[in-house]
Amino acid sequence: MSSLRKWMLFSFWFTLVGLTWTIILPRLSEVPGIQQHIARMEQKGIVVEAMFYTELDWQPPPGASWR
Amino acid sequence: MIESLGNEPEKHVVSSGGLETAPSARGLSEDWTAVVLGLCILILGLLSVQVTSPPENISGPTSTETKTLAESWLADCVGKPGKWNANPGLAFYKNDKSLLGSIIGALLVCTAIGAVATWLQRNSTRRFIIAFPLVFVMSLMAYVLSSQIVIANYNLEFALWALLVGLIVCNTCGTPLWLKPAVRGELYIKTGLVLLGAEVLFGRLLALGVPGIFVSWVVTPIVLISTYVFGQRVLKIPSRSLNMVVSADMSVCGVSAAIATAAACRAKKEELSLAIGLSLSFTVLLMIVMPIAVETLQLDPVVGGAWIGGTVDSTGAVAASASSEYLGDVGLRTATTVKMIQNILIGIIAFGVAAYWTRWVDTADQSQQVGPAEIWRRFPKFVLGFLAASILCSILFAGSQAGELRVSTSTDAFTKGLRGWLFCLAFVCIGLETNFRELFPYFRSGKPLILYLSGQALNLILTLAMAYLMYGVVFKT
């Protein structure tokens, strides 16, 4: 693959990602179902992207003790 | 090219383009480097915390419990981009406060970690420092992509976007040779896993008691082993490591379990990428479908919460899925606690998988019996660092209130954020070394997808049965 073609391919993907994230996804966030889901998560303070429980605002059940 | 995520102490070949860097005999192996660095960072984090009890607390024991304070001088030293919707520039602000300082802090800390690692391994520190900022910028881009409000609220985690960024660069303009010294996926993953060990606190198991342990610790290993055996005996998946990584991320806790088991069984980077892609795709689906299923079946909120906690792969998605009005606060709390116990299980799973692989899988094609010295040589040592971090923090956490505060403050203020950056860097590096064409054979057979679906079906049935038995019958009160 020629150097020019490689960089053109890179620019294409870069633009595609940029447009998706700055135009399509913001529009998607206005779709009523998605908007409601996002508002509910924000309101309840749920960290949906959490990978491990320490990233959540996890509270032990009442009366639980580890000592 | 790095062929696997495992330890190869004798030879470490970095490049797909001709550059090979093999550490000299005096240098530390990748595993021991990760253990040393991970434990040093952990101890630094713990020592950075100051626990103080204000004088007014002497009025009574109850107020002492609630007013003891802890703060770390490393707080806000490592940060990640915040959420945004249409303007990516807003990712660098949180509540009108700039996050740039903490992101630059993350760059400096990660550069220091990598530089010390290259020094310990007797590689060129100068070449690492020149190359690393670009790898970090790619990781930052991945974090910004994952922080978009729609992406973040549907649990499409940064790992996926880090892979995408790396793959785009590698498969278009190519990964330049000068960047290779900083493309250290294995090192970042293993150091991140040692730090993750500090979050695996065994004492927290007592929080949910017997029913939660039954749901998480009895069903999960049964599903994991059954899925693995099904993949080997029925589907005849050629790669045992792919079979194990898909089984673990489906049955335990998604991306974090996939990373831990992939490193423990020396899975290929393409196998880890595939497992994470599968897991995240189905997590989005389960996150939406599970609360509807719980409500349709009119399950008790506690039983429904336990079912969601045991089946939805990703931790954040469990909380999102169990936050429905029908399940209420009690359902949400049960779901996140069951998932938390599953999170803690990854320590034992990683050790078990590493031991099984070292003893039986790696030696399967050898006619001679392998001795203890050889088993020790092959064992992925970073797993020991992971367990040491977990045991150290579990003892501190359970010992006293000051210890509990020290561990949780150190995790919240420093190590949790750093672990996230290290995993993000690792996935960018995996992408930077992966050719799209290497991924196609895995999709062609469709077997990993069948494996995932069959295992998840078993998981759904067994977890519902156990949740009903434990929370609906045996421990109903």
Side-chain angles (χ1 to χ4, degrees):
Chain A
M1 206 172 0
S2 73
S3 184
L4 179 67
R5 196 166 160 225
K6 281 179 181 176
W7 283 103
M8 277 175 68
L9 208 56
F10 174 75
S11 310
F12 167 76
W13 279 104
F14 193 82
T15 312
L16 186 70
V17 169
L19 290 176
T20 307
W21 259 258
T22 54
I23 294 173
I24 298 172
L25 288 174
R27 293 263 168 89
L28 216 56
S29 71
E30 288 163 13
V31 173
I34 295 174
Q35 198 173 28
Q36 278 171 11
H37 170 78
I38 293 170
R40 196 160 53 86
M41 294 301 115
E42 300 285 320
Q43 188 200 339
K44 292 196 169 189
I46 291 171
V47 188
V48 189
E49 70 272 27
M51 184 192 266
F52 214 64
Y53 79 95
T54 44
E55 291 161 52
L56 292 174
D57 184 21
W58 180 81
Q59 297 295 325
S65 173
W66 33 79
R67 275 198 294 280
Chain B
M1 183 188 293
I2 295 173
E3 282 299 328
S4 72
L5 291 165
N7 61 328
E8 290 176 283
E10 292 83 20
K11 194 182 175 192
H12 177 72
V13 185
V14 178
S15 167
S16 57
L19 173 72
E20 292 188 352
T21 51
S24 72
R26 289 177 300 141
L28 270 186
S29 73
E30 196 106 277
D31 278 35
W32 282 120
T33 306
V35 172
V36 169
L37 280 172
L39 293 179
C40 286
I41 295 165
L42 203 60
I43 290 166
L44 179 70
L46 290 170
L47 292 176
S48 76
V49 179
Q50 282 190 317
V51 182
T52 51
S53 297
E56 62 265 30
N57 285 349
I58 52 175
S59 58
T62 312
S63 61
T64 310
E65 278 288 306
T66 53
K67 283 189 177 174
T68 304
L69 301 170
E71 55 184 347
S72 164
W73 55 265
L74 287 168
D76 300 328
C77 153
V78 172
K80 63 175 189 175
K83 284 186 186 165
W84 58 282
N85 189 10
N87 178 7
L90 294 177
F92 299 96
Y93 293 90
K94 194 175 185 178
N95 303 327
D96 294 329
K97 193 183 152 198
S98 174
L99 295 170
L100 269 177
S102 60
I103 291 170
I104 292 170
L107 167 66
L108 296 176
V109 172
C110 292
T111 309
I113 291 170
V116 173
T118 48
W119 177 75
L120 286 173
Q121 295 185 304
R122 302 289 186 265
N123 286 331
S124 167
T125 308
R126 190 179 61 85
R127 284 200 297 170
F128 173 84
I129 291 172
I130 292 169
F132 185 74
L134 186 56
V135 180
F136 185 86
V137 167
M138 286 188 235
S139 306
L140 179 60
M141 279 177 68
Y143 254 140
V144 171
L145 294 179
S146 72
S147 308
Q148 203 280 338
I149 201 160
V150 176
I151 299 289
N153 280 294
Y154 279 90
N155 193 254
L156 293 163
E157 291 174 25
F158 65 83
L160 202 61
W161 312 115
L163 271 174
L164 179 80
V165 170
L167 279 169
I168 289 177
V169 173
C170 178
N171 291 273
T172 55
C173 49
T175 308
L177 274 178
W178 64 267
L179 198 65
K180 299 280 164 91
V183 181
R184 304 286 307 273
E186 281 186 75
L187 176 77
Y188 305 137
I189 275 196
K190 288 170 180 173
T191 312
L193 280 169
V194 175
L195 293 183
L196 185 70
E199 297 166 53
V200 176
L201 303 169
F202 288 99
R204 281 199 157 158
L205 286 177
L206 302 174
L208 199 65
V210 178
I213 291 172
F214 264 92
V215 173
S216 296
W217 282 50
V218 174
V219 175
T220 305
I222 291 174
V223 174
L224 173 66
I225 294 166
S226 309
T227 311
Y228 177 71
V229 172
F230 179 76
Q232 288 301 293
R233 301 267 167 88
V234 181
L235 295 176
K236 301 200 184 302
I237 292 179
S239 167
R240 285 181 181 227
S241 48
L242 172 66
N243 192 352
M244 177 53 79
V245 179
V246 173
S247 306
D249 84 1
M250 178 274 302
S251 58
V252 189
C253 52
V255 175
S256 48
I259 295 171
T261 46
C265 71
R266 294 183 275 278
K268 288 179 184 169
K269 56 191 185 305
E270 296 85 12
E271 295 171 349
L272 176 59
S273 310
L274 176 70
I276 284 173
L278 266 177
S279 170
L280 290 179
S281 312
F282 282 96
T283 297
V284 176
L285 195 69
L286 281 173
M287 191 175 96
I288 297 164
V289 170
M290 287 299 283
I292 300 169
V294 168
E295 203 169 339
T296 310
L297 294 171
Q298 289 291 301
L299 294 178
D300 181 89
V302 179
V303 176
W307 191 31
I308 288 174
T311 51
V312 176
D313 289 352
S314 174
T315 306
V318 164
S321 186
S323 66
S324 69
E325 278 181 31
Y326 178 79
L327 286 167
D329 192 45
V330 69
L332 174 62
R333 197 172 279 203
T334 309
T336 49
T337 308
V338 166
K339 184 49 80 182
M340 183 269 291
I341 298 178
Q342 274 195 342
N343 281 177
I344 291 169
L345 187 63
I346 67 170
I348 292 168
I349 298 266
F351 183 79
V353 168
Y356 174 73
W357 238 254
T358 310
R359 178 64 187 85
W360 283 282
V361 178
D362 287 347
T363 56
D365 53 349
Q366 292 182 1
S367 51
Q368 287 181 330
Q369 200 170 1
V370 177
E374 181 59 17
I375 289 174
W376 168 250
R377 195 190 70 78
R378 290 170 186 226
F379 190 83
K381 315 294 185 302
F382 80 91
V383 175
L384 301 178
F386 179 88
L387 288 179
S390 174
I391 291 166
L392 170 73
C393 289
S394 293
I395 291 169
L396 266 176
F397 191 83
S400 65
Q401 197 198 3
E404 181 184 331
L405 279 169
R406 195 174 282 281
V407 171
S408 50
T409 307
S410 162
T411 303
D412 289 340
F414 185 55
T415 57
K416 185 173 76 178
L418 190 56
R419 180 254 296 162
W421 274 109
L422 289 168
F423 283 161
C424 194
L425 287 163
F427 283 103
V428 166
C429 294
I430 290 173
L432 284 172
E433 292 184 312
T434 305
N435 190 316
F436 273 133
R437 269 169 277 175
E438 289 169 17
L439 286 172
F440 292 148
Y442 292 97
F443 290 110
R444 211 174 289 145
S445 70
K447 284 183 179 176
L449 179 65
I450 299 168
L451 179 74
Y452 185 93
L453 290 174
S454 320
Q456 193 60 272
L458 177 70
N459 195 16
L460 284 164
I461 295 165
L462 281 185
T463 307
L464 177 60
M466 187 62 89
Y468 180 74
L469 187 69
M470 286 294 129
Y471 290 102
V473 181
V474 181
F475 294 94
K476 196 173 182 180
T477 53

